[in-house]
Amino acid sequence: MAVLVVVVVVVLLWLVTGVRVVQQYERGVVFRLGRVRGQVREPGLTMLVPVLDRMRKVNVQVVTMPVPAQEGITKDNVSVSVDAVLYFRVVEPIKATVDVQNYGFAMLQVAQTSLRSIIGKSELDDLLSGRENLHQGLEVMLESPAAGWGVHIDRVEIKDVSLPESMKRSMARQAEADRERRARIITADGEFQAAAKLSEAASKMAETPAAMQLRMLQTVVEVAAEKNSTLVLPFPVELLRFFEASTARLTGAPAAAAPTVPPPATGADADAEHS
């Protein structure tokens, strides 16, 4: 009876100290007497040999790691501060446990050095607008050491680029000058098109002189519609000459000629007049 009690107690102790639970987002790496067992323990209940086995759980979820801002000088000699964010996960728990002491800290250090390196190889315009290529370059630089540590890089992205205040003012002036240049070009193009249309309209009106008079009357109507108390009506001299010629043709009388001034008398003519 005493032997049975001892056996039951030993079994209970073995269950208490040997049974482990591995969560769905974890994998278990078992060490027996300091050596890694070849098989990784999957989620669920797992049995260990008391005293001999020791299990270390490894999280296989995607880790979101912010990379602190790194200051550097771009290829076109602009001082910038760039920060990024790194997404990775463990795919080989044994490598992540045995081959590197702290894979999270190691990934952070590699990400910082890679970010500084990519800053020095890029120009300011690439950091501001061409980030897709930089993301791919950072991912390639991180994949090589990460593969040796059993880590897979899901993605890495540049989050923010901080510029000096002097550079911000310069870029603002550049943008303002560019917008002013485009505004002037658009205005000049509009004036050119308007001048071309006015020239074409003048040619059409020159073929029909009455069109000019009709256009003038239309303008007068538009001005009069504004309820002005004073109306200025231009009256061209050509119209007076037209009325004068028409009147002369209707009455049959010649148009009034300008008075002629007699030539000055000579000395001989003056003597003859006195005689």
Side-chain angles (χ1 to χ4, degrees):
M1 187 65 182
V3 175
L4 181 60
V5 172
V6 172
V7 172
V8 172
V9 171
V10 170
V11 172
L12 291 176
L13 290 176
W14 183 79
L15 291 176
V16 171
T17 58
V19 176
R20 295 289 186 275
V21 177
V22 179
Q23 301 294 333
Q24 182 66 38
Y25 55 85
E26 295 176 335
R27 298 296 182 270
V29 179
V30 178
F31 294 86
R32 178 168 295 177
L33 297 176
R35 296 179 63 88
V36 178
R37 302 289 293 174
Q39 187 177 1
V40 177
R41 302 300 173 90
E42 297 296 328
L45 286 175
T46 183
M47 300 297 296
L48 302 178
V49 178
V51 181
L52 299 181
D53 290 348
R54 180 176 58 88
M55 186 176 68
R56 182 175 178 181
K57 299 178 181 179
V58 180
N59 194 321
V60 295
Q61 291 177 308
V62 175
V63 179
T64 303
M65 177 179 292
V67 182
Q70 303 296 311
E71 295 184 358
I73 299 177
T74 61
K75 192 174 180 181
D76 49 354
N77 297 324
V78 179
S79 178
V80 296
S81 178
V82 182
D83 59 352
V85 59
L86 175 64
Y87 303 89
F88 67 92
R89 58 188 175 90
V90 176
V91 293
E92 298 183 38
I94 293 179
K95 284 187 177 182
T97 305
V98 177
D99 294 350
V100 60
Q101 183 178 9
N102 187 338
Y103 65 88
F105 181 75
M107 290 301 303
L108 178 60
Q109 299 303 312
V110 172
Q112 290 180 359
T113 55
S114 300
L115 184 58
R116 287 189 177 184
S117 178
I118 207 72
I119 291 174
K121 296 178 181 179
S122 307
E123 295 184 355
L124 180 60
D125 292 340
D126 297 332
L127 291 175
L128 296 177
S129 59
R131 295 188 180 182
E132 291 298 329
N133 296 331
L134 299 182
H135 296 166
Q136 296 178 2
L138 279 173
E139 187 173 348
V140 170
M141 296 176 67
L142 292 172
E143 278 182 351
S144 179
W149 300 333
V151 176
H152 173 71
I153 304 297
D154 282 351
R155 61 189 306 178
V156 55
E157 294 183 354
I158 294 176
K159 187 166 59 174
D160 189 20
V161 178
S162 300
L163 300 175
E165 292 298 328
S166 59
M167 180 57 64
K168 291 181 181 180
R169 290 193 295 268
S170 299
M171 294 177 66
R173 289 195 300 268
Q174 179 183 358
E176 184 179 357
D178 183 66
R179 289 183 179 275
E180 185 177 356
R181 177 184 63 84
R182 285 186 291 176
R184 289 183 178 181
I185 290 176
I186 293 174
T187 303
D189 185 64
E191 291 180 356
F192 176 79
Q193 295 180 9
K197 292 298 182 181
L198 288 175
S199 176
E200 183 179 354
S203 300
K204 291 293 183 180
M205 289 183 178
E207 297 175 359
T208 308
M212 180 64 72
Q213 307 301 326
L214 294 176
R215 179 59 182 166
M216 181 186 67
L217 295 177
Q218 183 180 1
T219 304
V220 171
V221 172
E222 293 177 357
V223 173
E226 297 295 332
K227 299 180 180 180
N228 295 326
S229 59
T230 303
L231 178 62
V232 179
L233 179 63
F235 201 77
V237 179
E238 289 80 2
L239 188 59
L240 293 176
R241 294 178 180 175
F242 173 75
F243 288 151
E244 183 180 0
S246 300
T247 304
R249 286 197 301 270
L250 291 175
T251 58
T260 56
V261 178
T266 60
D269 294 337
D271 295 337
E273 185 178 355
H274 285 295
S275 60

